[in-house]
């Protein structure tokens, strides 16, 4: 098995499960045209996030790292009437592409893209006591993941689901060389923090597919009344 066969298998799954969505195709095309890095979630991963949102009964979703809005569209599709997805993005150009993708997808009323340093935005949200989120997707600069997890916990309630993207980094997570790389250090600290925090029941899975060898963490928050 190699990257080509993982990719072919993802295509097969997309076809047999009829996962394709013209709005997502259009969003991806706009991301590519705008020269955004190819770091969006895969189509089958996007559907998984959508199912997680439904499983969590999410009415409020927080995304840290919007990029072109692809995963935001996937998750927002799971929201009931009156639901809200807040997505944080530090890069104004990415945010503009995302807003256009979200507008064309008919989700402008549902998704708020907040531009600025995510750490600062999160601090502001905690300070202003915004209502807790039901699902939180952490998918920004991996070096800052420990900070994002701390903020996610502060913005959660009993039962909040927290998903962390890209925890395997093509295997670099375990490489000796990776230990000097900021994204690997951030990811390792993020996983260790999760394990230590008694409010979290957590796991992590590695994946292969169109996006190579990667994976995600999954945690649920316990905050008994
Ligand atoms: C990278 C970041 C992502 O969020 C992703 O999904 C894939 C890759 C990266 O920084 O390399
Ligand atoms: Mg990602």
């Amino acid at each position: 098995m190699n990257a080509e066969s993982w990719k072919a298998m993802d295509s097969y799954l997309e076809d047999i499960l009829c996962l394709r969505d013209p709005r997502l195709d259009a969003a991806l095309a706009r991301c590519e045209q705008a020269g955004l890095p190819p770091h969006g979630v895969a189509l089958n991963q996007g559907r998984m996030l959508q199912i997680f949102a439904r499983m969590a009964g999410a009415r409020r979703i927080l995304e840290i790292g919007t990029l072109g809005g692809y995963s935001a569209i996937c998750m927002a599709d799971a929201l009931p009437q009156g639901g809200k997805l807040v997505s944080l993005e530090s890069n104004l150009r990415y945010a503009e592409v995302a807003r256009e993708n979200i507008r064309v997808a008919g989700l402008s009323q549902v998704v708020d893209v907040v531009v600025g340093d995510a750490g600062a935005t999160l601090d502001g949200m905690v300070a202003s006591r915004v209502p807790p989120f039901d699902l939180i997707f952490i998918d920004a600069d991996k070096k800052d993941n420990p900070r994002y997890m701390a903020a996610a916990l502060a913005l959660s309630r009993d039962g909040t689901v927290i998903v962390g993207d890209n925890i395997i980094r093509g295997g670099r997570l375990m490489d000796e060389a990776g230990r000097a790389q900021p994204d690997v250090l951030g990811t390792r600290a993020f996983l260790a923090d999760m394990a230590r925090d008694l409010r979290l029941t957590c796991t992590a899975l590695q994946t292969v597919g169109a996006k190579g060898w990667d994976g995600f963490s999954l945690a649920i928050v316990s905050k008994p009344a």
Side-chain angles (χ1 to χ4, degrees), residues 38-41 45 67 139-142 165-166 169 172 183 211 214:
H39 294 164
V41 299
Q45 294 168 330
L67 194 61
D139 190 21
D141 252 13
K142 312 312 170 196
D165 199 22
N166 314 114
R169 324 294 300 147
R172 281 189 296 113
D183 63 330
K211 299 281 174 169
D214 213 326

Side-chain angles (χ1 to χ4, degrees), residues 151-167:
L153 271 157
L155 294 167
S156 67
R157 54 153 174 93
D158 188 55
T160 294
V161 172
I162 304 176
V163 181
D165 199 22
N166 314 114
I167 55 153

